[in-house]
Amino acid sequence: MLSAAIQMDETCMNVEKPHLGRPAGRRRPRKTNVPDASSPGSKKGWTHKLSRKAMYITVAVVVAAAAFLAVAIANANRPSLYAVTIDGELVGYTDNKDLVAEIVWRLSEEESFRVGAEAIPSCEVDCQKVKWEKDLEVTDPDQLGEILKERIGFVASGYVICVNGQDVVALCSEEAARGALDDLRQSYINSIVKPGHATVEEVLIKEKIDIVEQEVPTSLFRSKQEAVEILSRGTDKMLSYVVQRGDSLWTIAMANNMTVEDLRKANPNIEGDLIREGDNLNLIVPDPYVTLQSREIVTYTVSIPYSTQVTYDPSMWPWQEEVIQAGKSGEKEVVEEIVRENGEEVSRTKISEKILSYPVTKKIVRGSKQVPEMGSGELAWPVQGTITSRFGPRWGTYHRGVDIGAPHGTPVMAADSGMVIFAGWNGGYGNLVKIAHGSNMQTWYAHLSEFAVSTGQEVKKGDVIGYVGSTGRSTGPHLHFEVHVDGVAKDPLSFYK
C-alpha cells in the first residue's frame, strides 16, 4: 500500500509542463467555477489539486496502518484473559488459568487431610477465555483464592451414621463410625454409674441406626468425639456461662432466654438450687438424636431398724428408765434392676433380697410411779413479756403453745408447783423443761438459754427454772410455753381467766 502511494506521487510529479511560448498571464475566460480540462492552464491547476489530495490520503493510510500494526503488536504481547466461574457464576478474572487449577488442587488436598478421605469439588470450576476490554481487570490472586475457598464445596466418600433414615454425621471410615457408637455407649455408662455401685448389663439405642457408605458434603464429616457430642446432645457447639457473685439459677436463665427447667436439663449435675461463684454452666439444652436405654443391676445394703421393747417398773418415776439390752440395726442386701433412658430412671424392679444380719431388740425398763398431786390447778404467768404468737394454726402448721417475747436472760418461773420430769435438749424446742403437776397436767418451757433445775427436782409455783433464750428453732429470744392435759396440748390462755 505504501509503495502504491509513492508510485502515485511520482506519477503526479511527471505531469507534462505547460507550453513555455504562451503569453504570460493570459487565461481563457471561465464560464463556471469548474476549469475546462481542454485548456492548458486549467489542466495544470487540476493536476496540482489531485496531487495534494493524493498526499493526504497517503498520509492517512500510513497512520492507520501504523496504528493497526501497533495494536496488533500490543495484543500479540498481552497475555490471555480468562473468566473464572463456579457453576456458571462469574467470580473473577485471571490471566493464568493454571493458577486457578493449582488453587483448586490445594483446597482439595487441605479438605482431604481435614476429613481423612479424598475430597473433590462438588461444583464446576471453569476458566473461559474472553476478549480484553478496557473495563476488565485481573482479580488479585490472593483475593481470588479466598473467593474460591469460600465458594467451593467439597464431597467425599464417607461412612454416614443415619438415625431413623436421617443423615446425622459422617466419619472417614466404617471403623471410626462404629467406634463413635461404642464411645457413645461408654460415655453414657460413665455418666450414670458410680464405680462399684452397679453393673450395666446392656445399653441399647432405641432408634434405628445404619452406617452407610456414600458420597456426602464434607461439612458432615466429624471426628469420633464430635460425632458422640452430636448424637447425644444434638450439636457439638458449646456455649457456657461462668457464675458471678449474686447469680441464681433464675437470673441466669432469664438473662439467656431460658427457663430454670431448661438450665437444669443442660446441667444435670446441679443439686437443688446450689451454684457457686466460678461454676461453669452449659447454656445449650440437649436435644439428642438418639435415646440410650440402659439396663443395670444394682446391689446395695439396707439397714433394718430395731424395735424397742418397754417394760414398766412402778418403783421408778416416769422420767427414769434403764436400758437392759442395747438395740442394734440389722442389714439386708437388695438386688434391683434399673432401666434408664438418657439417664432418667423409668423403672426399678426388685430382683432379690437377702438378710445379712437380724436386728437386736432394744429393751428398756421405764418408771410408772405416779407423780403426786403437787399443783394447785391455777397457773401463774411464767415470764414477764409480750405475747408474739398465739396457740393454733400458723404458717401452714399448728402452733401448740404461746410465744412470749422477752429480753435474753429474763428469768422463767414455774407456772405451778410440781416435779421436773425433763430438763435437756429436745430438737426444735432447744433447751426444754417439762414439769408434771399431777392430775395428768404438764407445762413445757422451751428455747431456754440456761437451766436452773434438773430432772427429778421438786419446784414450787414461781420458782425460777431457767432463763429466756433463743435455742432450737427460734427467730429471737422468747419463751415458748405449752400446757398438756392427758397428753394433749391445750391453749395456755384458756387457763388464765
Side-chain angles (χ1 to χ4, degrees), residues 382-404:
V383 69
Q384 294 298 317
T386 304
I387 295 176
T388 57
S389 183
R390 294 177 179 270
F391 179 90
R394 183 183 71 166
W395 307 334
T397 61
Y398 201 85
H399 194 222
R400 304 203 308 168
V402 293
D403 289 344
I404 306 169

mmCIF file with all atom_site columns, all heavy atoms in Angstrom, residues 382-404:
data_model
loop_
_atom_site.group_PDB
_atom_site.id
_atom_site.type_symbol
_atom_site.label_atom_id
_atom_site.label_alt_id
_atom_site.label_comp_id
_atom_site.label_asym_id
_atom_site.label_entity_id
_atom_site.label_seq_id
_atom_site.pdbx_PDB_ins_code
_atom_site.Cartn_x
_atom_site.Cartn_y
_atom_site.Cartn_z
_atom_site.occupancy
_atom_site.B_iso_or_equiv
_atom_site.pdbx_formal_charge
_atom_site.auth_seq_id
_atom_site.auth_comp_id
_atom_site.auth_asym_id
_atom_site.auth_atom_id
_atom_site.pdbx_PDB_model_num
ATOM 1   N N   . PRO A 1 382 ? -45.663 -17.395 133.376 1.00 0.00 ? 382 PRO A N   1
ATOM 2   C CA  . PRO A 1 382 ? -44.288 -17.870 133.582 1.00 0.00 ? 382 PRO A CA  1
ATOM 3   C C   . PRO A 1 382 ? -43.187 -16.826 133.373 1.00 0.00 ? 382 PRO A C   1
ATOM 4   O O   . PRO A 1 382 ? -42.074 -17.011 133.867 1.00 0.00 ? 382 PRO A O   1
ATOM 5   C CB  . PRO A 1 382 ? -44.152 -18.987 132.560 1.00 0.00 ? 382 PRO A CB  1
ATOM 6   C CG  . PRO A 1 382 ? -45.112 -18.617 131.477 1.00 0.00 ? 382 PRO A CG  1
ATOM 7   C CD  . PRO A 1 382 ? -46.258 -17.947 132.157 1.00 0.00 ? 382 PRO A CD  1
ATOM 8   N N   . VAL A 1 383 ? -43.457 -15.730 132.642 1.00 0.00 ? 383 VAL A N   1
ATOM 9   C CA  . VAL A 1 383 ? -42.391 -14.765 132.369 1.00 0.00 ? 383 VAL A CA  1
ATOM 10  C C   . VAL A 1 383 ? -43.010 -13.407 132.047 1.00 0.00 ? 383 VAL A C   1
ATOM 11  O O   . VAL A 1 383 ? -44.126 -13.318 131.506 1.00 0.00 ? 383 VAL A O   1
ATOM 12  C CB  . VAL A 1 383 ? -41.498 -15.235 131.198 1.00 0.00 ? 383 VAL A CB  1
ATOM 13  C CG1 . VAL A 1 383 ? -42.256 -15.198 129.879 1.00 0.00 ? 383 VAL A CG1 1
ATOM 14  C CG2 . VAL A 1 383 ? -40.231 -14.398 131.094 1.00 0.00 ? 383 VAL A CG2 1
ATOM 15  N N   . GLN A 1 384 ? -42.311 -12.350 132.397 1.00 0.00 ? 384 GLN A N   1
ATOM 16  C CA  . GLN A 1 384 ? -42.777 -11.017 132.071 1.00 0.00 ? 384 GLN A CA  1
ATOM 17  C C   . GLN A 1 384 ? -42.398 -10.700 130.615 1.00 0.00 ? 384 GLN A C   1
ATOM 18  O O   . GLN A 1 384 ? -41.224 -10.698 130.249 1.00 0.00 ? 384 GLN A O   1
ATOM 19  C CB  . GLN A 1 384 ? -42.134 -9.986  133.010 1.00 0.00 ? 384 GLN A CB  1
ATOM 20  C CG  . GLN A 1 384 ? -42.559 -10.111 134.463 1.00 0.00 ? 384 GLN A CG  1
ATOM 21  C CD  . GLN A 1 384 ? -44.055 -9.890  134.621 1.00 0.00 ? 384 GLN A CD  1
ATOM 22  O OE1 . GLN A 1 384 ? -44.630 -8.979  134.028 1.00 0.00 ? 384 GLN A OE1 1
ATOM 23  N NE2 . GLN A 1 384 ? -44.691 -10.733 135.428 1.00 0.00 ? 384 GLN A NE2 1
ATOM 24  N N   . GLY A 1 385 ? -43.413 -10.450 129.793 1.00 0.00 ? 385 GLY A N   1
ATOM 25  C CA  . GLY A 1 385 ? -43.139 -10.149 128.384 1.00 0.00 ? 385 GLY A CA  1
ATOM 26  C C   . GLY A 1 385 ? -44.423 -9.950  127.616 1.00 0.00 ? 385 GLY A C   1
ATOM 27  O O   . GLY A 1 385 ? -45.514 -9.837  128.187 1.00 0.00 ? 385 GLY A O   1
ATOM 28  N N   . THR A 1 386 ? -44.310 -9.926  126.277 1.00 0.00 ? 386 THR A N   1
ATOM 29  C CA  . THR A 1 386 ? -45.447 -9.675  125.385 1.00 0.00 ? 386 THR A CA  1
ATOM 30  C C   . THR A 1 386 ? -45.704 -10.900 124.515 1.00 0.00 ? 386 THR A C   1
ATOM 31  O O   . THR A 1 386 ? -44.764 -11.502 123.983 1.00 0.00 ? 386 THR A O   1
ATOM 32  C CB  . THR A 1 386 ? -45.154 -8.464  124.473 1.00 0.00 ? 386 THR A CB  1
ATOM 33  O OG1 . THR A 1 386 ? -44.838 -7.345  125.282 1.00 0.00 ? 386 THR A OG1 1
ATOM 34  C CG2 . THR A 1 386 ? -46.351 -8.144  123.594 1.00 0.00 ? 386 THR A CG2 1
ATOM 35  N N   . ILE A 1 387 ? -46.993 -11.249 124.382 1.00 0.00 ? 387 ILE A N   1
ATOM 36  C CA  . ILE A 1 387 ? -47.345 -12.382 123.525 1.00 0.00 ? 387 ILE A CA  1
ATOM 37  C C   . ILE A 1 387 ? -47.067 -11.993 122.066 1.00 0.00 ? 387 ILE A C   1
ATOM 38  O O   . ILE A 1 387 ? -47.605 -11.004 121.559 1.00 0.00 ? 387 ILE A O   1
ATOM 39  C CB  . ILE A 1 387 ? -48.812 -12.786 123.702 1.00 0.00 ? 387 ILE A CB  1
ATOM 40  C CG1 . ILE A 1 387 ? -49.047 -13.319 125.126 1.00 0.00 ? 387 ILE A CG1 1
ATOM 41  C CG2 . ILE A 1 387 ? -49.207 -13.847 122.676 1.00 0.00 ? 387 ILE A CG2 1
ATOM 42  C CD1 . ILE A 1 387 ? -50.496 -13.663 125.419 1.00 0.00 ? 387 ILE A CD1 1
ATOM 43  N N   . THR A 1 388 ? -46.251 -12.794 121.398 1.00 0.00 ? 388 THR A N   1
ATOM 44  C CA  . THR A 1 388 ? -45.922 -12.511 119.990 1.00 0.00 ? 388 THR A CA  1
ATOM 45  C C   . THR A 1 388 ? -46.552 -13.504 119.026 1.00 0.00 ? 388 THR A C   1
ATOM 46  O O   . THR A 1 388 ? -46.634 -13.243 117.823 1.00 0.00 ? 388 THR A O   1
ATOM 47  C CB  . THR A 1 388 ? -44.388 -12.536 119.786 1.00 0.00 ? 388 THR A CB  1
ATOM 48  O OG1 . THR A 1 388 ? -43.884 -13.811 120.205 1.00 0.00 ? 388 THR A OG1 1
ATOM 49  C CG2 . THR A 1 388 ? -43.716 -11.438 120.595 1.00 0.00 ? 388 THR A CG2 1
ATOM 50  N N   . SER A 1 389 ? -47.011 -14.669 119.551 1.00 0.00 ? 389 SER A N   1
ATOM 51  C CA  . SER A 1 389 ? -47.667 -15.646 118.683 1.00 0.00 ? 389 SER A CA  1
ATOM 52  C C   . SER A 1 389 ? -48.572 -16.504 119.548 1.00 0.00 ? 389 SER A C   1
ATOM 53  O O   . SER A 1 389 ? -48.160 -16.995 120.594 1.00 0.00 ? 389 SER A O   1
ATOM 54  C CB  . SER A 1 389 ? -46.637 -16.521 117.964 1.00 0.00 ? 389 SER A CB  1
ATOM 55  O OG  . SER A 1 389 ? -47.278 -17.425 117.075 1.00 0.00 ? 389 SER A OG  1
ATOM 56  N N   . ARG A 1 390 ? -49.826 -16.703 119.082 1.00 0.00 ? 390 ARG A N   1
ATOM 57  C CA  . ARG A 1 390 ? -50.811 -17.417 119.898 1.00 0.00 ? 390 ARG A CA  1
ATOM 58  C C   . ARG A 1 390 ? -50.923 -18.877 119.479 1.00 0.00 ? 390 ARG A C   1
ATOM 59  O O   . ARG A 1 390 ? -50.328 -19.324 118.507 1.00 0.00 ? 390 ARG A O   1
ATOM 60  C CB  . ARG A 1 390 ? -52.171 -16.720 119.777 1.00 0.00 ? 390 ARG A CB  1
ATOM 61  C CG  . ARG A 1 390 ? -52.156 -15.320 120.381 1.00 0.00 ? 390 ARG A CG  1
ATOM 62  C CD  . ARG A 1 390 ? -53.504 -14.617 120.193 1.00 0.00 ? 390 ARG A CD  1
ATOM 63  N NE  . ARG A 1 390 ? -53.488 -13.289 120.800 1.00 0.00 ? 390 ARG A NE  1
ATOM 64  C CZ  . ARG A 1 390 ? -53.834 -13.019 122.054 1.00 0.00 ? 390 ARG A CZ  1
ATOM 65  N NH1 . ARG A 1 390 ? -54.230 -14.006 122.841 1.00 0.00 ? 390 ARG A NH1 1
ATOM 66  N NH2 . ARG A 1 390 ? -53.780 -11.789 122.513 1.00 0.00 ? 390 ARG A NH2 1
ATOM 67  N N   . PHE A 1 391 ? -51.719 -19.595 120.226 1.00 0.00 ? 391 PHE A N   1
ATOM 68  C CA  . PHE A 1 391 ? -51.976 -21.021 120.011 1.00 0.00 ? 391 PHE A CA  1
ATOM 69  C C   . PHE A 1 391 ? -52.855 -21.187 118.766 1.00 0.00 ? 391 PHE A C   1
ATOM 70  O O   . PHE A 1 391 ? -53.789 -20.424 118.538 1.00 0.00 ? 391 PHE A O   1
ATOM 71  C CB  . PHE A 1 391 ? -52.683 -21.593 121.241 1.00 0.00 ? 391 PHE A CB  1
ATOM 72  C CG  . PHE A 1 391 ? -53.034 -23.049 121.161 1.00 0.00 ? 391 PHE A CG  1
ATOM 73  C CD1 . PHE A 1 391 ? -52.136 -24.018 121.598 1.00 0.00 ? 391 PHE A CD1 1
ATOM 74  C CD2 . PHE A 1 391 ? -54.270 -23.472 120.682 1.00 0.00 ? 391 PHE A CD2 1
ATOM 75  C CE1 . PHE A 1 391 ? -52.466 -25.368 121.548 1.00 0.00 ? 391 PHE A CE1 1
ATOM 76  C CE2 . PHE A 1 391 ? -54.601 -24.810 120.623 1.00 0.00 ? 391 PHE A CE2 1
ATOM 77  C CZ  . PHE A 1 391 ? -53.701 -25.768 121.060 1.00 0.00 ? 391 PHE A CZ  1
ATOM 78  N N   . GLY A 1 392 ? -52.555 -22.204 117.947 1.00 0.00 ? 392 GLY A N   1
ATOM 79  C CA  . GLY A 1 392 ? -53.408 -22.505 116.802 1.00 0.00 ? 392 GLY A CA  1
ATOM 80  C C   . GLY A 1 392 ? -52.634 -22.530 115.492 1.00 0.00 ? 392 GLY A C   1
ATOM 81  O O   . GLY A 1 392 ? -51.394 -22.545 115.465 1.00 0.00 ? 392 GLY A O   1
ATOM 82  N N   . PRO A 1 393 ? -53.356 -22.522 114.350 1.00 0.00 ? 393 PRO A N   1
ATOM 83  C CA  . PRO A 1 393 ? -52.705 -22.605 113.035 1.00 0.00 ? 393 PRO A CA  1
ATOM 84  C C   . PRO A 1 393 ? -51.744 -21.436 112.822 1.00 0.00 ? 393 PRO A C   1
ATOM 85  O O   . PRO A 1 393 ? -52.062 -20.286 113.127 1.00 0.00 ? 393 PRO A O   1
ATOM 86  C CB  . PRO A 1 393 ? -53.879 -22.539 112.053 1.00 0.00 ? 393 PRO A CB  1
ATOM 87  C CG  . PRO A 1 393 ? -55.067 -23.003 112.842 1.00 0.00 ? 393 PRO A CG  1
ATOM 88  C CD  . PRO A 1 393 ? -54.832 -22.505 114.232 1.00 0.00 ? 393 PRO A CD  1
ATOM 89  N N   . ARG A 1 394 ? -50.572 -21.755 112.247 1.00 0.00 ? 394 ARG A N   1
ATOM 90  C CA  . ARG A 1 394 ? -49.586 -20.714 111.987 1.00 0.00 ? 394 ARG A CA  1
ATOM 91  C C   . ARG A 1 394 ? -48.645 -21.179 110.877 1.00 0.00 ? 394 ARG A C   1
ATOM 92  O O   . ARG A 1 394 ? -48.034 -22.239 110.988 1.00 0.00 ? 394 ARG A O   1
ATOM 93  C CB  . ARG A 1 394 ? -48.784 -20.409 113.254 1.00 0.00 ? 394 ARG A CB  1
ATOM 94  C CG  . ARG A 1 394 ? -47.771 -19.269 113.078 1.00 0.00 ? 394 ARG A CG  1
ATOM 95  C CD  . ARG A 1 394 ? -46.952 -19.042 114.340 1.00 0.00 ? 394 ARG A CD  1
ATOM 96  N NE  . ARG A 1 394 ? -46.005 -20.136 114.572 1.00 0.00 ? 394 ARG A NE  1
ATOM 97  C CZ  . ARG A 1 394 ? -44.994 -20.050 115.443 1.00 0.00 ? 394 ARG A CZ  1
ATOM 98  N NH1 . ARG A 1 394 ? -44.832 -18.954 116.172 1.00 0.00 ? 394 ARG A NH1 1
ATOM 99  N NH2 . ARG A 1 394 ? -44.174 -21.075 115.609 1.00 0.00 ? 394 ARG A NH2 1
ATOM 100 N N   . TRP A 1 395 ? -48.509 -20.354 109.809 1.00 0.00 ? 395 TRP A N   1
ATOM 101 C CA  . TRP A 1 395 ? -47.530 -20.591 108.723 1.00 0.00 ? 395 TRP A CA  1
ATOM 102 C C   . TRP A 1 395 ? -47.652 -22.005 108.138 1.00 0.00 ? 395 TRP A C   1
ATOM 103 O O   . TRP A 1 395 ? -46.671 -22.672 107.842 1.00 0.00 ? 395 TRP A O   1
ATOM 104 C CB  . TRP A 1 395 ? -46.099 -20.383 109.219 1.00 0.00 ? 395 TRP A CB  1
ATOM 105 C CG  . TRP A 1 395 ? -45.865 -19.060 109.880 1.00 0.00 ? 395 TRP A CG  1
ATOM 106 C CD1 . TRP A 1 395 ? -46.537 -17.897 109.676 1.00 0.00 ? 395 TRP A CD1 1
ATOM 107 C CD2 . TRP A 1 395 ? -44.888 -18.779 110.884 1.00 0.00 ? 395 TRP A CD2 1
ATOM 108 N NE1 . TRP A 1 395 ? -46.047 -16.902 110.477 1.00 0.00 ? 395 TRP A NE1 1
ATOM 109 C CE2 . TRP A 1 395 ? -45.024 -17.416 111.223 1.00 0.00 ? 395 TRP A CE2 1
ATOM 110 C CE3 . TRP A 1 395 ? -43.900 -19.531 111.528 1.00 0.00 ? 395 TRP A CE3 1
ATOM 111 C CZ2 . TRP A 1 395 ? -44.221 -16.794 112.179 1.00 0.00 ? 395 TRP A CZ2 1
ATOM 112 C CZ3 . TRP A 1 395 ? -43.111 -18.926 112.460 1.00 0.00 ? 395 TRP A CZ3 1
ATOM 113 C CH2 . TRP A 1 395 ? -43.260 -17.566 112.784 1.00 0.00 ? 395 TRP A CH2 1
ATOM 114 N N   . GLY A 1 396 ? -48.894 -22.488 108.014 1.00 0.00 ? 396 GLY A N   1
ATOM 115 C CA  . GLY A 1 396 ? -49.100 -23.806 107.423 1.00 0.00 ? 396 GLY A CA  1
ATOM 116 C C   . GLY A 1 396 ? -48.922 -24.946 108.400 1.00 0.00 ? 396 GLY A C   1
ATOM 117 O O   . GLY A 1 396 ? -49.036 -26.113 108.018 1.00 0.00 ? 396 GLY A O   1
ATOM 118 N N   . THR A 1 397 ? -48.638 -24.657 109.680 1.00 0.00 ? 397 THR A N   1
ATOM 119 C CA  . THR A 1 397 ? -48.514 -25.703 110.700 1.00 0.00 ? 397 THR A CA  1
ATOM 120 C C   . THR A 1 397 ? -49.455 -25.359 111.854 1.00 0.00 ? 397 THR A C   1
ATOM 121 O O   . THR A 1 397 ? -50.277 -24.444 111.756 1.00 0.00 ? 397 THR A O   1
ATOM 122 C CB  . THR A 1 397 ? -47.067 -25.805 111.224 1.00 0.00 ? 397 THR A CB  1
ATOM 123 O OG1 . THR A 1 397 ? -46.696 -24.561 111.821 1.00 0.00 ? 397 THR A OG1 1
ATOM 124 C CG2 . THR A 1 397 ? -46.104 -26.122 110.087 1.00 0.00 ? 397 THR A CG2 1
ATOM 125 N N   . TYR A 1 398 ? -49.311 -26.112 112.953 1.00 0.00 ? 398 TYR A N   1
ATOM 126 C CA  . TYR A 1 398 ? -50.151 -25.843 114.125 1.00 0.00 ? 398 TYR A CA  1
ATOM 127 C C   . TYR A 1 398 ? -49.240 -25.499 115.293 1.00 0.00 ? 398 TYR A C   1
ATOM 128 O O   . TYR A 1 398 ? -48.403 -26.305 115.705 1.00 0.00 ? 398 TYR A O   1
ATOM 129 C CB  . TYR A 1 398 ? -51.019 -27.070 114.465 1.00 0.00 ? 398 TYR A CB  1
ATOM 130 C CG  . TYR A 1 398 ? -52.226 -26.731 115.289 1.00 0.00 ? 398 TYR A CG  1
ATOM 131 C CD1 . TYR A 1 398 ? -53.397 -26.293 114.692 1.00 0.00 ? 398 TYR A CD1 1
ATOM 132 C CD2 . TYR A 1 398 ? -52.185 -26.848 116.694 1.00 0.00 ? 398 TYR A CD2 1
ATOM 133 C CE1 . TYR A 1 398 ? -54.511 -25.986 115.456 1.00 0.00 ? 398 TYR A CE1 1
ATOM 134 C CE2 . TYR A 1 398 ? -53.292 -26.533 117.458 1.00 0.00 ? 398 TYR A CE2 1
ATOM 135 C CZ  . TYR A 1 398 ? -54.456 -26.089 116.824 1.00 0.00 ? 398 TYR A CZ  1
ATOM 136 O OH  . TYR A 1 398 ? -55.560 -25.760 117.591 1.00 0.00 ? 398 TYR A OH  1
ATOM 137 N N   . HIS A 1 399 ? -49.433 -24.287 115.823 1.00 0.00 ? 399 HIS A N   1
ATOM 138 C CA  . HIS A 1 399 ? -48.625 -23.810 116.950 1.00 0.00 ? 399 HIS A CA  1
ATOM 139 C C   . HIS A 1 399 ? -49.249 -24.317 118.240 1.00 0.00 ? 399 HIS A C   1
ATOM 140 O O   . HIS A 1 399 ? -50.380 -23.938 118.594 1.00 0.00 ? 399 HIS A O   1
ATOM 141 C CB  . HIS A 1 399 ? -48.577 -22.279 116.928 1.00 0.00 ? 399 HIS A CB  1
ATOM 142 C CG  . HIS A 1 399 ? -47.535 -21.694 117.825 1.00 0.00 ? 399 HIS A CG  1
ATOM 143 N ND1 . HIS A 1 399 ? -47.774 -20.589 118.617 1.00 0.00 ? 399 HIS A ND1 1
ATOM 144 C CD2 . HIS A 1 399 ? -46.253 -22.051 118.065 1.00 0.00 ? 399 HIS A CD2 1
ATOM 145 C CE1 . HIS A 1 399 ? -46.681 -20.287 119.288 1.00 0.00 ? 399 HIS A CE1 1
ATOM 146 N NE2 . HIS A 1 399 ? -45.736 -21.164 118.973 1.00 0.00 ? 399 HIS A NE2 1
ATOM 147 N N   . ARG A 1 400 ? -48.496 -25.151 118.985 1.00 0.00 ? 400 ARG A N   1
ATOM 148 C CA  . ARG A 1 400 ? -49.078 -25.844 120.142 1.00 0.00 ? 400 ARG A CA  1
ATOM 149 C C   . ARG A 1 400 ? -48.873 -25.101 121.455 1.00 0.00 ? 400 ARG A C   1
ATOM 150 O O   . ARG A 1 400 ? -49.058 -25.677 122.532 1.00 0.00 ? 400 ARG A O   1
ATOM 151 C CB  . ARG A 1 400 ? -48.472 -27.243 120.254 1.00 0.00 ? 400 ARG A CB  1
ATOM 152 C CG  . ARG A 1 400 ? -48.656 -28.065 118.975 1.00 0.00 ? 400 ARG A CG  1
ATOM 153 C CD  . ARG A 1 400 ? -48.575 -29.539 119.224 1.00 0.00 ? 400 ARG A CD  1
ATOM 154 N NE  . ARG A 1 400 ? -47.367 -29.924 119.966 1.00 0.00 ? 400 ARG A NE  1
ATOM 155 C CZ  . ARG A 1 400 ? -47.200 -31.128 120.498 1.00 0.00 ? 400 ARG A CZ  1
ATOM 156 N NH1 . ARG A 1 400 ? -48.164 -32.044 120.395 1.00 0.00 ? 400 ARG A NH1 1
ATOM 157 N NH2 . ARG A 1 400 ? -46.086 -31.425 121.147 1.00 0.00 ? 400 ARG A NH2 1
ATOM 158 N N   . GLY A 1 401 ? -48.527 -23.848 121.373 1.00 0.00 ? 401 GLY A N   1
ATOM 159 C CA  . GLY A 1 401 ? -48.356 -23.077 122.599 1.00 0.00 ? 401 GLY A CA  1
ATOM 160 C C   . GLY A 1 401 ? -48.473 -21.591 122.307 1.00 0.00 ? 401 GLY A C   1
ATOM 161 O O   . GLY A 1 401 ? -49.018 -21.189 121.272 1.00 0.00 ? 401 GLY A O   1
ATOM 162 N N   . VAL A 1 402 ? -47.957 -20.777 123.236 1.00 0.00 ? 402 VAL A N   1
ATOM 163 C CA  . VAL A 1 402 ? -47.898 -19.334 123.002 1.00 0.00 ? 402 VAL A CA  1
ATOM 164 C C   . VAL A 1 402 ? -46.437 -18.907 123.118 1.00 0.00 ? 402 VAL A C   1
ATOM 165 O O   . VAL A 1 402 ? -45.661 -19.469 123.900 1.00 0.00 ? 402 VAL A O   1
ATOM 166 C CB  . VAL A 1 402 ? -48.762 -18.540 124.010 1.00 0.00 ? 402 VAL A CB  1
ATOM 167 C CG1 . VAL A 1 402 ? -50.230 -18.821 123.795 1.00 0.00 ? 402 VAL A CG1 1
ATOM 168 C CG2 . VAL A 1 402 ? -48.350 -18.843 125.444 1.00 0.00 ? 402 VAL A CG2 1
ATOM 169 N N   . ASP A 1 403 ? -46.064 -17.904 122.302 1.00 0.00 ? 403 ASP A N   1
ATOM 170 C CA  . ASP A 1 403 ? -44.724 -17.334 122.380 1.00 0.00 ? 403 ASP A CA  1
ATOM 171 C C   . ASP A 1 403 ? -44.791 -16.013 123.137 1.00 0.00 ? 403 ASP A C   1
ATOM 172 O O   . ASP A 1 403 ? -45.636 -15.152 122.831 1.00 0.00 ? 403 ASP A O   1
ATOM 173 C CB  . ASP A 1 403 ? -44.156 -17.096 120.976 1.00 0.00 ? 403 ASP A CB  1
ATOM 174 C CG  . ASP A 1 403 ? -43.819 -18.397 120.273 1.00 0.00 ? 403 ASP A CG  1
ATOM 175 O OD1 . ASP A 1 403 ? -43.745 -19.433 120.955 1.00 0.00 ? 403 ASP A OD1 1
ATOM 176 O OD2 . ASP A 1 403 ? -43.639 -18.374 119.035 1.00 0.00 ? 403 ASP A OD2 1
ATOM 177 N N   . ILE A 1 404 ? -43.897 -15.874 124.115 1.00 0.00 ? 404 ILE A N   1
ATOM 178 C CA  . ILE A 1 404 ? -43.864 -14.656 124.941 1.00 0.00 ? 404 ILE A CA  1
ATOM 179 C C   . ILE A 1 404 ? -42.499 -14.005 124.743 1.00 0.00 ? 404 ILE A C   1
ATOM 180 O O   . ILE A 1 404 ? -41.465 -14.562 125.149 1.00 0.00 ? 404 ILE A O   1
ATOM 181 C CB  . ILE A 1 404 ? -44.089 -14.975 126.428 1.00 0.00 ? 404 ILE A CB  1
ATOM 182 C CG1 . ILE A 1 404 ? -45.389 -15.786 126.601 1.00 0.00 ? 404 ILE A CG1 1
ATOM 183 C CG2 . ILE A 1 404 ? -44.117 -13.703 127.254 1.00 0.00 ? 404 ILE A CG2 1
ATOM 184 C CD1 . ILE A 1 404 ? -45.562 -16.373 127.987 1.00 0.00 ? 404 ILE A CD1 1
#
